[in-house]
Amino acid sequence: MDQQLSGQSNRPLTKPAHSLERGDVVQQLEADVENGLATPAAQQRLQDYGRNELDDGPGVQPVKILIRQVANAMMLVLILAMAVSFGIRSWIEGGVVCAIIILNIVVGFFQEYQAEKTMDSLRSLSSPTANVVRDGVTVNVPTAELVPGDLVELKVGDTVPADLRIIESINFETDEALLTGESLPVAKNEETIFDEDTGPGDRLNVAFASSNVTKGRAMGVVYATGMHTEIGSIAAALRQTDSKRRPIKRRDDGTAHPLRHVESWTLTFSDAVARFLGINVGTPLQRKLSRLAILLFGIAIVCAVIVLGANRFSSNPQVIIYAVATGLSMIPASLIVVLTITMAVGTKRMVQRHVIVRNLKSLEALGAVTDICSDKTGTLTQGRMVVKECWVPTRGTYSIENSKEPFNPTLGVLRLSRSPPIAHGSEKGVEDDRISYSDSLKDNVELSDLIKIASLANIARVHKNQEGEWTAIGDPTEIAMQVFASRFDCNRQQFFDPRSPRLRQMSEYGFDSDVKKMSVIIEDLATNEQTVYSKGAVERILECCTRIRWDGPEEVEITDAIKGEILANTEALATHGLRVLALASRPYDPRSGRRASREGPPPRDQVERDLIFRGLVGLYDPPRPESADAVRSCHRAGIKVHMLTGDHPGTARAIAAQVGILPRVTGDLSERAAKCMVMTAREFDKLTDDELDRLPALPLVIARCTPATKVRMIEALRRRDAFMAMTGDGVNDSPSLKISDVGIAMGQSGSDVAKDASDIVLTDDNFASILSAIEEGRRMFDNIQKFILHLLAENIAQACTLLVGLAFKDRSGLSVFPLAPVQIMWIIMVTSGMPDMGLGLEIAAPDILDRPPISLKAGVFTWEVCFDMLVYGLWMSALCLSSFLLVVYGFGDGNLGEGCNEAYSEACDTVFRARTTTFVSLTWFALFLAWEMVNMRRSFFRMQPKSKRYFTQWAYDVWRNPFLFWAVIAGFITIFPTIYIPVLNHQVFKQAPISWEWGVVFVEGIVFFMGCELWKWGKRIFFRRRAKKMGYTPEDMEKLAFSQFTTMERTGQDEFRKGSQ
């Protein structure tokens, strides 16, 4: 890239952006400040200017992947085996090992290359996003897809996605320490223009890429993307690779003791060895399996020594090869590759289910989640709010009906009841008069004041797009308020029309999850009078109000009795599931404080005081249709769901009951239990840690929740040994997301700060997607268990067969191989590798969400897996040895010949045929076991318990996973050339063609299947009885979600938390 002129666009402007008027920048970039770019134009510019990304280097590097295939512990073992084989002139065995090494490198390279490409594409999905106006609507797009001319909206917590020329802003400040080193946030002003040679730190009309918004909001037009941004210029100049060398600890004067140099190099070398062995890189599970591989390597050496010892440490090359083969039988060569592929495919599947994984370790954690702490708005509910009711104390209750289009202010019937909301719940026959919107405002100053607050204490925009359809830009709550105001012909845009503005916004005090209110100061351009307009949580607004119009047009002081009645009406609206906001305003008198100006806004506490209470507004945000089923599925899966919301307790209680977080029938609950079930943040925070721990159960709903309350909730759950997932979207949610076991950020409404602190991101902000992520986490955990069990059971079978086979001595006193070295390597690479990959791709078991959460303490190596490993391994070994014995001693003459490990002869025919029978039996067992592992407990013939295909369901299950099916079929087919092709059978595999021995193989295969089915049948009985005894059935777990509140006891909780492992 050519040297970029600071402040210029990808396509140079007449002057740098900071030296041009806003209108000039918009005109030269051919932007549209009303509707943004059209989608086709944006796509064309993306092709012309490239993606908005810094040049991070070569990306996926095939050479490094190839080096990783060669430089790892597993490959080192194979290379040593090859060296030993060639060293003792066993050319065939050495050549086979060499072929296996090449095959392993080639297959591993292509598989890992595809996995890296997949993960690279997912990393781009998890990158920050930006709110961009395109086609007249605000859309959330990856920052990489921004182009010059895009109109971007910024709010607190956002990361500026590209270099922007600010078009409009309110109290807008950014942290530019990354770019300029300035430690304090920089206040921006879009109206000023600067000289061309002004440095980046002084360009106050520009927001720079990678800086963070610390205050206010703004809208800007993108003028530079990618390496053309200021941060791109710095990245180009400073790009360097990270050093893997440990730093030397130095004294204050910069000198270092000679031993510190030795220490640095020693630690650097140990880090390199650990990286080579894989024990300090990757996810916790990957590191655990790397340590397992090292343990198996040690066991392999012990096995090799046993073989040598049983043959009196003979220097016979065949004994040495036998020892090498026995050692190799314990090495799971494809373990790490299969794990990498499984995790890559799992993350790709999650994207299809609206979940982006930012941290791979969260994949292993999702299956262990016992509690979900979820927000309400937009997660459990649809996030498409409409104003249903509003209460003006002197006029009554206005309600809006038949409003089916949330953004269309022309639809909906207005009715007026002279009674307050509290009367609607207690009196029958309350009459509602239908009234037109225009008539309702006649001689109605009180309603006009309330409507004006809804319109002006609001930054949402509601308008018709180019197709004539109503559309909206902004926060769902503010959109609903703006639509409500527009019904009365009081749309905010008519007051701020650039051609003839009537009002000017002087200051804005944004909504914050701590203060729970939002205020603006608006100046009337005709009279220069300023007015404060505020909206927010009822309790917080009431704290700021001193007067109200109560019985007439005169303002009176708010007494405790009036305040109590306002709160009672709030409760009445909230019990209908409405989110209730209070609205207030007052004239802003400069004599009571500093006059508001955009350059110096007065302090918030001077503005939000002595307000006049104007009324209540009730907004309805219907639950998502899938939320109730998702919550019920969580309960059946042993997962408790907690709602942590900023809404009123009544609203939170109503919605929580609708989606099943709270029981619909609460008649059997004591007053103490009901109070414990639903709390406000104030009540929760008043309790000490000891008092929280003494509660029979933590609340299922916390209303008026603050970020600090979320942190305390996580700490309280952790003290109860819970494993929790926490959702969040705001800047203040980042601490709770960071310390939770699984932090879940919202992809649409979430801030970039929250996303950076999270482990996974929901692209649709939907609670049901959390359940999908947990299901996918459990599926992946199950599949990892399946292929590890399959792999290690085979290793046990091979090792036991070879070690017991040491007892078969020929006339010279040397042990006769029941399995030849090449046969062992064939099973390790061909018979195991591909089916294991197929097991990693298996779909979720039907009952995967009917079990308790998995235990991370046990990990994949549960007692069940360990017993399965031993049972299947020993069962295969016993049948393999019986195959060998039947052919040699049962149907043969028992003659083991001499030198049968080296070459074929007439005397060795029986041994070679017995070896073929054992090899085919073990191959079939390994392939059949792969199909048995599709479900570790259910019968192979009945894996789908609800299926009506009683006799053919197994065929559908086998074909459902094509990769596994063809891997098994390939294993069956490829065995025949090794048996019947001359030279290949005698010289390489040390076996001979078989005929009647196939009968032994078929019988052994049936017996193996029967043994597996019998073992799984016994497991089903055991686990069914244990589940019934300990309350692990889906119905019991569903009831357990509320049992602690109905009994007010904690019996069985500790046992439940341990899971079913």
Side-chain angles (χ1 to χ4, degrees), residues 139-180:
V139 291
N140 194 262
V141 301
T143 57
E145 296 179 10
L146 287 186
V147 295
D150 261 328
L151 197 61
V152 177
E153 296 178 345
L154 297 171
K155 61 182 184 302
V156 174
D158 285 350
T159 298
V160 180
D163 283 359
L164 311 174
R165 175 63 166 91
I166 303 171
I167 302 299
E168 61 180 60
S169 68
I170 292 292
N171 304 340
F172 187 62
E173 295 184 5
T174 61
D175 180 359
E176 298 176 354
L178 180 68
L179 185 71
T180 65

Side-chain angles (χ1 to χ4, degrees), residues 242-297:
D242 294 329
S243 173
K244 291 184 174 65
R245 193 173 70 180
R246 287 287 190 104
I248 299 169
K249 295 180 181 178
R250 299 182 181 276
R251 303 186 184 98
D252 294 338
D253 60 0
T255 60
H257 192 278
L259 288 178
R260 292 298 187 187
H261 291 271
V262 176
E263 178 190 46
S264 172
W265 284 106
T266 303
L267 292 174
T268 301
F269 177 75
S270 64
D271 287 344
V273 172
R275 277 195 304 274
F276 176 79
L277 297 174
I279 59 176
N280 66 350
V281 292
T283 68
L285 181 58
Q286 288 172 327
R287 294 195 294 269
K288 192 172 186 178
L289 293 182
S290 294
R291 288 192 288 271
L292 170 67
I294 295 172
L295 173 64
L296 292 176
F297 178 58

Side-chain angles (χ1 to χ4, degrees), residues 1047-1061:
T1047 63
M1048 293 304 288
E1049 296 177 1
R1050 293 179 62 182
T1051 39
Q1053 177 179 332
D1054 293 335
E1055 289 82 7
F1056 171 76
R1057 290 302 183 197
K1058 293 176 184 176
S1060 65
Q1061 307 304 328

Side-chain angles (χ1 to χ4, degrees), residues 52 143 146 152 159-164 207-211 222-226 229:
N52 178 33
T143 57
L146 287 186
V152 177
T159 298
V160 180
D163 283 359
L164 311 174
F208 295 107
S210 299
S211 60
V222 176
Y223 69 86
T225 60
T229 60

Side-chain angles (χ1 to χ4, degrees), residues 461-581:
R461 288 190 291 164
V462 177
H463 62 284
K464 283 187 176 181
N465 61 17
Q466 295 173 348
E467 286 75 32
E469 298 174 348
W470 285 97
T471 185
I473 299 172
D475 175 78
T477 303
E478 297 204 330
I479 287 173
M481 299 280 282
Q482 198 62 251
V483 171
F484 173 66
S486 299
R487 296 181 190 279
F488 297 88
D489 194 24
C490 194
N491 191 301
R492 174 186 171 90
Q493 287 176 278
Q494 72 183 36
F495 299 108
F496 294 91
D497 188 342
R499 292 166 293 186
S500 56
R502 293 155 55 189
L503 303 176
R504 185 184 186 193
Q505 183 167 322
M506 306 305 297
S507 301
E508 180 180 312
Y509 305 87
F511 179 86
D512 184 275
S513 52
D514 289 320
V515 299
K516 295 189 181 301
K517 54 182 179 285
M518 177 263 195
S519 302
V520 294
I521 300 178
I522 303 293
E523 181 175 284
D524 189 319
L525 295 179
T527 63
N528 290 330
E529 292 179 352
Q530 296 183 342
T531 307
V532 178
Y533 298 100
S534 297
K535 71 172 189 295
V538 178
E539 299 89 343
R540 299 299 177 89
I541 291 292
L542 270 178
E543 291 171 359
C544 305
C545 292
T546 56
R547 291 165 294 157
I548 188 175
R549 291 189 180 118
W550 188 246
D551 294 319
E554 296 82 16
E555 294 173 1
V556 298
E557 294 292 322
I558 295 181
T559 62
D560 290 340
I562 291 175
K563 188 176 291 187
E565 195 157 341
I566 291 172
L567 293 175
N569 281 291
T570 302
E571 190 71 32
L573 290 171
T575 51
H576 298 145
L578 300 183
R579 182 183 183 188
V580 187
L581 298 180

Side-chain angles (χ1 to χ4, degrees), residues 658-674:
Q658 289 179 39
V659 299
I661 292 176
L662 296 178
R664 289 183 178 273
V665 180
T666 57
D668 57 345
L669 292 177
S670 66
E671 183 180 350
R672 180 184 171 216

Side-chain angles (χ1 to χ4, degrees), residues 57 81 205 292 310 388 454 577 585 609 629 700 758 786 798 811 828 934 966 982 1005:
N205 56 9
L292 170 67
K388 284 285 188 181
S585 65
R609 67 181 187 186
D629 288 340
L700 297 177
S758 68
K786 290 172 189 175
Q798 290 176 113
R811 286 195 291 270
I828 290 173
V934 169
W966 289 114

